[in-house]
Amino acid sequence: MSTISRKPLLIHIGTHKTGSTSFQSYLKGHAEELKENGFSVVPYQDAKIAACLSVRDGLPIPGRHLFERDGRKSTEKKLRSRISEFYDDNNANTIVISCEHLSYFRTTEEVDHLLSYFEEHNEIDIFVVVREKADFLRSYEAQVKKTGHGPVHEDKSSPYYCGEDSWLIDYDGMQAPWIARANKFHKLSYETENIVTDLIVSLKLPDLSGKKEYRANVTPSQFRSIAVWALKKVRLHGVAHALYNFY
């Protein structure tokens, strides 16, 4: 298919525990308004299935059960059909994808498989939000335990390994395959006052919410992240360490 008139493909890849759910709530809650403004959002469930089908074999990420019942081939066929229909309905718009599972990718093969579900585009823009590593691991481990996806264990190749040497905080390794395929790569920091608004601005989406719950995504955990980051900036590492362990 010709790419001459194709508008950009915008892909937000997470990471986990960086406001992705809040951003996805914004996208879902304003899907029709965004469409009227030239942005069409791929349904989250389809984005998640595409990520699970694309990630390297053997990595037991949350959501792989989504295609285990019907089988991989059947699930893939149905997904490609749904995405084709999505493009038929949204051919003139910029396409937006948001799924934190995409941050599990570490190879260009995974990225290429993901991109194969979508029409060719002149421009592919990638957006990632990263968090201070120790705080990310603390929050991610708490989520793993809470949701029962784990258990957290000692297998260093597991997506549930939360040790200080976890591959999940190899941000360079995460970014490399996406940078290799992107026209533009945008890296944002979670340690900010309002990451949802930052994402809206970075993706050049219209801010349609006007609601505090979307505009101010400052949770107690994020407040701690911001405070620790600020203290380290002024070299108060001892105070930062105490705050991180106390709060």
Side-chain angles (χ1 to χ4, degrees):
M1 178 176 290
S2 172
T3 64
I4 294 175
S5 62
R6 180 70 66 204
K7 291 189 176 180
L9 176 64
L10 311 181
I11 306 178
H12 166 238
I13 66 172
T15 57
H16 292 82
K17 310 307 296 178
T18 59
S20 297
T21 301
S22 294
F23 180 57
Q24 289 153 7
S25 294
Y26 169 81
L27 295 177
K28 182 178 180 179
H30 300 281
E32 288 304 315
E33 296 164 281
L34 287 167
K35 185 174 181 179
E36 292 171 2
N37 282 270
F39 297 89
S40 294
V41 182
V42 174
Y44 176 74
Q45 190 76 345
D46 283 343
K48 185 175 182 179
I49 292 173
C52 290
L53 287 166
S54 301
V55 77
R56 54 201 177 278
D57 289 340
L59 190 68
I61 65 173
R64 296 203 73 154
H65 67 280
L66 293 171
F67 61 82
E68 288 177 350
R69 184 184 64 181
D70 295 333
R72 185 184 186 94
K73 288 184 178 180
S74 176
T75 302
E76 187 151 358
K77 182 178 180 180
K78 291 176 182 177
L79 177 64
R80 290 187 184 278
S81 177
R82 288 196 302 273
I83 292 177
S84 178
E85 292 176 4
F86 173 84
Y87 269 92
D88 289 342
D89 293 337
N90 301 277
N91 189 55
N93 281 0
T94 293
I95 305 301
V96 181
I97 303 169
S98 176
C99 183
E100 59 271 37
H101 282 21
L102 299 175
S103 66
Y104 288 128
F105 290 10
R106 290 297 184 274
T107 68
T108 53
E109 288 78 13
E110 291 166 296
V111 175
D112 289 342
H113 192 278
L114 183 282
L115 294 177
S116 75
Y117 291 110
F118 303 95
E119 301 284 357
E120 294 183 7
H121 288 257
N122 283 326
E123 184 175 316
I124 299 173
D125 291 2
I126 308 298
F127 302 82
V128 64
V129 181
V130 296
R131 183 171 180 170
E132 195 276 326
K133 292 181 178 181
D135 199 45
F136 163 78
L137 287 174
R138 173 176 171 154
S139 182
Y140 185 79
E141 181 175 357
Q143 176 176 290
V144 169
K145 291 178 178 178
K146 179 180 178 181
T147 58
H149 286 316
V152 176
H153 52 71
E154 297 304 313
D155 179 3
K156 293 186 177 182
S157 66
S158 168
Y160 309 115
Y161 175 69
C162 298
E164 292 181 358
D165 57 344
S166 172
W167 63 273
L168 296 169
I169 53 174
D170 176 14
Y171 292 154
D172 289 340
M174 173 192 65
Q175 295 169 42
W178 292 103
I179 290 174
R181 295 296 185 260
N183 296 91
K184 296 179 182 178
F185 186 88
H186 309 262
K187 182 179 177 181
L188 291 76
S189 172
Y190 179 72
E191 284 77 26
T192 181
E193 181 179 355
N194 194 330
I195 190 57
V196 175
T197 294
D198 287 355
L199 280 166
I200 291 170
V201 171
S202 189
L203 273 72
K204 298 181 180 179
L205 302 175
D207 189 348
L208 302 166
S209 65
K211 295 181 180 180
K212 251 183 184 178
E213 60 265 34
Y214 292 130
R215 301 176 70 89
N217 183 36
V218 183
T219 63
S221 176
Q222 188 178 14
F223 174 79
R224 182 184 64 244
S225 297
I226 296 169
V228 169
W229 171 81
L231 288 167
K232 286 183 177 180
K233 278 290 185 180
V234 296
R235 300 183 182 279
L236 295 176
H237 293 273
V239 179
H241 180 75
L243 174 64
Y244 176 81
N245 287 285
F246 173 77
Y247 194 81

